[in-house]
Amino acid sequence: MNLNTLEFRSDNCGSAAPEIIEALVRANQGCAVGYGADALTTELNSKLSEVFETKLRVFPIPTGTGANALALAATGTPFGAVYCSPEAHINTSECNAVGFFGSGLKVSPIEGTHGKVCPIFLENNLNSAGFGQAHKSQPVALNLVQATDLGAVYSTDEITHLSALAHARKLTVHMDGARFANALAHLACSPAEMTWKAGVDILSLGVTKNGGLLSDAIVVFNPDIANNIDFHLRRGGMIWSKMRFASAQILAYVENDLWLRLARQSNAAAQQLAQGIQLIPGARLIAPVQANELFVEMSATALDRLANQGVLFYRRGPELARFVCRWDTTTKEVEQLLTLIQTGLST
Ligand SMILES: Cc1ncc(COP(=O)(O)O)c(C=O)c1O
C-alpha cells in the first residue's frame, strides 16, 4: 500500500491469501486435461458437495458479473424478468449483462430496505405480473444479494420466506454471493442452511473479493438448471481452458475454513470501524454493518477533507461514502481512518 494513502475503496483492492498462491504453485505440475475434465475440478465438485452437504455442480468462472449473468441466463427464457433489489449489483453495476447473456432477460427491481427485497413488495409484484400474458415479461427468477449491496445480511428465515414466495410461482432463486463468506461468518450457520436448505437454487460464489486471486464460481443445487449451464458458459466465453488453476484456487479457499477465517478478519475490521463511527457526531451509518461494507453519511465538506488527506473510498452521493474492509485491513488502518473522520468533522 502507498504509505500516504488509506485504502477503503473495495475488497477487490486487497491482496490474495498466501494459501491460494501456494495452491496455484502446487497445481503447476505436469499436464492436465483442459476445460474442467481434470482431477482438481473433479475434487472441487466433491469438496463443495461435502461443504454444502448435498450433491451439487461447480463451474469456476472468471468474474462475479459473469457468474450472475450466466447463472440467470440459465434459469429462464429471453422474455423473462428477474426480480432483485434496486441496489442489486445486477441492476446497478453490471452494464445489463443479465439482459445481454440472457438474450433479452429483464432486470426488475423490487423495493426493500438495506439492499434487500421486501417480501410484501415481491408478493404484490408477483400478483400483478401478468403470468401468461404475452404483453408482459414473465417472472423467471429472484436474485438475492448476500451480503447485500448496502452491507446487510439476510437471515436464513428471510431467505426461506422469499424463496417460498418465488417457488410458489415457479421462479428460480439465485443468490449473488459475491460476499458469501462474509454473510456466512456473520450468521454463523452452515453453507447449506444459507443456501439450498433455505430454497436457493443457484449461487454465484464470490472468492476473489475475499482473498481469492482470479476465480469465482457458479454453484448449482438444482440439477434441472445444471443441464444447460455448460452451453451458456461456453457460448459466453466463460469456461477456463486451464481449469485446474481456477479449481485449485477455490479448493484452497474452502480448505480448513480459509474462506471463513478471511471473512471474519474483514468483518471484524468493519465492526471496529462501525463502532468508532457510531461515536462520532456528524457521521451516520445508513444500514446495519453485518459484513465488511459500511455506508456512511456525513457532510460533503468532511468527505472532501478525507479524500484530500489520502483516504481512498467511493462516494455514493455528495454526502454518502462507502468504506470497504478487506481481509488484510489492519486495526491500525481503521484507527487512522477513524481519527481522520473525527478531525474532518470537528474542524
Ligand atoms: C454484490 C456484487 N455482485 C457481483 C459483483 C461483480 O463482480 P466482478 O466485479 O468480479 O464482476 C460485485 C463486484 O463488486 C458485487 O459487489
Side-chain angles (χ1 to χ4, degrees):
M1 193 184 71
N2 181 333
L3 287 177
N4 299 317
T5 60
L6 270 182
E7 178 60 76
F8 281 89
R9 279 173 298 191
S10 173
D11 30 16
N12 287 327
C13 302
S15 56
E19 291 86 342
I20 292 182
I21 306 283
E22 285 155 18
L24 278 172
V25 174
R26 280 198 304 278
N28 191 28
Q29 295 199 359
C31 298
V33 64
Y35 300 108
D38 61 282
L40 281 174
T41 305
T42 304
E43 191 184 332
L44 176 64
N45 273 273
S46 315
K47 180 70 188 173
L48 284 199
S49 296
E50 184 190 311
V51 168
F52 281 87
E53 304 172 63
T54 189
K55 195 165 164 36
L56 50 74
R57 286 191 66 194
V58 190
F59 301 88
I61 183 163
T63 67
T65 300
N68 286 342
L70 288 152
L72 288 164
T75 66
T77 59
F79 45 85
V82 178
Y83 289 140
C84 62
S85 79
E87 296 84 5
H89 207 263
I90 59 166
N91 186 42
T92 62
S93 308
E94 297 185 1
C95 200
N96 199 22
V98 170
F100 178 70
F101 285 108
S103 308
L105 260 184
K106 179 180 174 187
V107 173
S108 296
I110 306 248
E111 281 173 62
T113 47
H114 305 144
K116 297 181 183 179
V117 171
C118 165
I120 296 167
F121 285 111
L122 175 62
E123 214 168 359
N124 290 347
N125 274 270
L126 286 167
N127 288 339
S128 60
F131 281 94
Q133 287 179 28
H135 305 275
K136 306 280 188 188
S137 299
Q138 298 295 293
V140 288
L142 171 66
N143 162 272
L144 304 175
V145 187
Q146 181 75 325
T148 76
D149 297 271
L150 289 181
V153 169
Y154 285 99
S155 69
T156 53
D157 284 349
E158 286 173 318
I159 300 168
T160 306
H161 184 199
L162 287 159
S163 297
L165 293 173
H167 285 160
R169 302 297 189 112
K170 300 200 174 0
L171 274 66
T172 298
V173 178
H174 166 250
M175 179 175 277
D176 174 352
R179 297 185 178 82
F180 185 86
N182 298 90
L184 194 61
H186 172 76
L187 290 182
C189 65
S190 70
E193 284 163 344
M194 207 170 83
T195 54
W196 63 273
K197 284 189 177 171
V200 174
D201 299 299
I202 186 163
L203 164 71
S204 300
L205 176 64
V207 178
T208 306
K209 292 183 195 313
N210 185 34
L213 188 64
L214 288 171
S215 191
D216 286 357
I218 296 176
V219 178
V220 189
F221 304 109
N222 178 342
D224 299 340
I225 304 169
N227 288 339
N228 275 340
I229 204 153
D230 315 59
F231 296 96
H232 285 280
L233 288 168
R234 189 63 180 149
R235 189 181 67 154
M238 289 278 182
I239 297 189
W240 295 104
S241 55
K242 284 192 175 165
M243 185 71 87
R244 67 171 144 155
F245 293 105
S247 298
Q249 291 173 53
I250 303 166
L251 271 169
Y253 184 61
V254 293
E255 197 67 49
N256 299 320
D257 286 341
L258 176 65
W259 58 337
L260 287 174
R261 182 160 63 73
L262 299 172
R264 283 188 194 119
Q265 287 169 210
S266 49
N267 285 4
Q271 280 309 315
Q272 185 196 347
L273 187 53
Q275 280 159 21
I277 283 172
Q278 276 159 351
L279 300 176
I280 302 177
R284 188 181 81 86
L285 292 162
I286 65 156
V289 179
Q290 296 175 320
N292 62 325
E293 293 187 285
L294 295 90
F295 291 80
V296 188
E297 262 178 5
M298 64 185 99
S299 70
T301 322
L303 289 178
D304 290 343
R305 279 199 196 109
L306 275 186
N308 292 337
Q309 283 172 307
V311 179
L312 303 173
F313 62 99
Y314 287 127
R315 267 169 118 136
R316 289 289 189 250
E319 300 199 335
L320 182 61
R322 183 187 83 159
F323 300 106
V324 186
C325 295
R326 316 169 312 272
W327 72 273
D328 54 359
T329 297
T330 61
T331 310
K332 191 165 169 227
E333 285 174 283
V334 174
E335 282 164 3
Q336 286 172 333
L337 175 59
L338 284 169
T339 307
L340 289 174
I341 294 176
Q342 187 144 31
T343 48
L345 277 165
S346 55
T347 30

